[in-house]
Amino acid sequence: RWQDALNLFYSVEDPQAQLRTSALAACARSSQLHAARTFFTEIPEKTIPDYNTFLSLLGRLRMIDEVEEVYTEMKRQGLQPTDYTYGCLINAYGMVHDMVAVFATLADLRSAQLQPCTMIYGSVLTACSKAGEKDLAQTTLAEMCAAAAEPNIGHFTSVISSYAKSKDEDRARETFKEMQRRGFHIDLVAYTGLLGCIGGPGALQRAEELAEEVRGACIRLDATFYNQLLQIAIISGEAARARQFLAEMASQGVAGNVQTRYREKQLEQLEQDSAVRDAVSHTSEDPLPLGWRAI
């Protein structure tokens, strides 16, 4: 609908700033970089919402150099960044795992006499999650609670996901229990975050136990959850179980995605490797013909 939004904007003889920002936002939501950049460049007097909208798009696309250029231009125009502006910057740096810049931006926000709100803390925790910075995530959550900024399920889920990279399952489960203690309605996103932290010996069994817990809560598994199950089964060398997960997805009407197809290729490789090992093992066990000797 971004093209419709632009057509509407250009059909108005004297469009107001709000309509202009809405048209730009339509391009940004559709990730239409060329259209958004052209439209943004043509705006004669850009407002803070205009800059925020364009910064958000550039950040999602990991275009950090342009993010910094646009932000510098914004300040050069004498416009004061808002907490949303800082949130856009934090999200952008989080996309490229630049945690130094994330916390430098948080410091800049405080220097501007602004206090981090739940949105800002959410952006910082998401950045920690993407980078696997579990200690920073835990510290940020503690700071958030101390500042009387009430965390929600999304904040806790980001902390759980920050443990996935190191497979710190114990700490992930502690955070998960804290969510339950606080009375949050645990959703599939939170369960999927915890599933991503499961690894090591016995991982597949614990993953399947978690899947049963999700089903017991009457939550339907989605492709992202199944992809995690497939990964755990493949890493565990359980090709047959991975095939069963794929069959279950089909029977439940869960459509796979790009990640699913990648897992299928990994599974095919695992099955091929297993077949080769079995063939070699079988050959080595065959008795040598009479009169032959092993070299």
Side-chain angles (χ1 to χ4, degrees):
R1 304 288 302 273
W2 64 274
Q3 189 64 64
D4 292 338
L6 289 184
N7 291 338
L8 173 61
F9 174 82
Y10 288 119
S11 70
V12 177
E13 183 175 349
D14 186 22
Q16 300 300 307
Q18 185 174 356
L19 179 59
R20 182 182 61 209
T21 303
S22 297
L24 178 60
C27 296
R29 283 194 298 270
S30 300
S31 297
Q32 294 294 327
L33 176 62
H34 177 71
R37 181 188 282 128
T38 301
F39 190 83
F40 179 77
T41 303
E42 293 175 351
I43 297 175
E45 294 184 9
K46 301 176 181 65
T47 63
I48 293 175
D50 293 332
Y51 277 103
N52 288 345
T53 300
F54 194 47
L55 284 169
S56 177
L57 171 62
L58 295 173
R60 293 200 309 274
L61 297 177
R62 298 177 172 85
M63 303 180 68
I64 300 303
D65 289 342
E66 193 166 353
V67 165
E68 294 178 339
E69 290 173 6
V70 172
Y71 178 60
T72 299
E73 177 192 315
M74 177 182 179
K75 292 192 295 183
R76 190 166 54 241
Q77 294 299 321
L79 297 176
Q80 182 64 40
T82 63
D83 55 354
Y84 189 84
T85 310
Y86 288 111
C88 291
L89 295 175
I90 290 171
N91 288 334
Y93 289 125
M95 292 295 291
V96 296
H97 303 177
D98 189 344
M99 298 308 298
V100 173
V102 165
F103 282 92
T105 303
L106 184 61
D108 289 343
L109 178 146
R110 291 192 170 102
S111 296
Q113 305 304 311
L114 296 173
Q115 291 302 316
C117 59
T118 54
M119 177 199 71
I120 293 296
Y121 279 118
S123 295
V124 174
L125 287 171
T126 298
C128 292
S129 172
K130 291 179 183 297
E133 293 286 354
K134 57 185 181 181
D135 293 332
L136 288 175
Q138 192 65 58
T139 300
T140 300
L141 181 64
E143 177 188 308
M144 182 180 183
C145 294
E150 190 64 28
N152 57 38
I153 188 172
H155 297 107
F156 276 95
T157 299
S158 291
V159 175
I160 289 174
S161 297
S162 72
Y163 297 123
K165 189 174 183 179
S166 60
K167 298 301 178 189
D168 193 341
E169 185 179 345
D170 290 341
R171 290 177 67 183
R173 287 186 180 277
E174 288 176 8
T175 304
F176 193 82
K177 289 178 181 178
E178 176 62 17
M179 290 171 62
Q180 295 174 315
R181 189 188 68 77
R182 288 173 176 254
F184 288 123
H185 176 70
I186 311 299
D187 58 16
L188 185 59
V189 178
Y191 278 114
T192 305
L194 179 57
L195 181 62
C197 300
I198 296 178
L204 183 56
Q205 179 180 343
R206 297 195 302 280
E208 295 204 64
E209 289 171 354
L210 184 63
E212 282 305 308
E213 182 179 332
V214 176
R215 295 187 185 99
C218 298
I219 299 175
R220 187 171 182 265
L221 307 188
D222 65 4
T224 303
F225 195 95
Y226 275 112
N227 289 340
Q228 292 276 18
L229 287 175
L230 285 168
Q231 181 181 38
I232 293 172
I234 291 168
I235 291 175
S236 301
E238 298 289 345
R241 191 68 186 102
R243 284 292 172 195
Q244 290 174 348
F245 287 142
L246 288 170
E248 185 180 313
M249 286 181 69
S251 67
Q252 294 296 318
V254 179
N257 53 28
V258 174
Q259 190 70 271
T260 310
R261 289 187 283 277
Y262 177 67
R263 297 291 174 227
E264 287 175 325
K265 290 181 179 179
Q266 288 182 314
L267 176 56
E268 290 171 2
Q269 186 63 54
L270 173 63
E271 291 171 330
Q272 291 172 8
D273 292 345
S274 297
V276 170
R277 284 195 300 269
D278 290 344
V280 171
S281 175
H282 179 72
T283 301
S284 65
E285 293 174 358
D286 287 342
L288 292 172
L290 188 64
W292 287 37
R293 63 185 180 85
I295 297 177

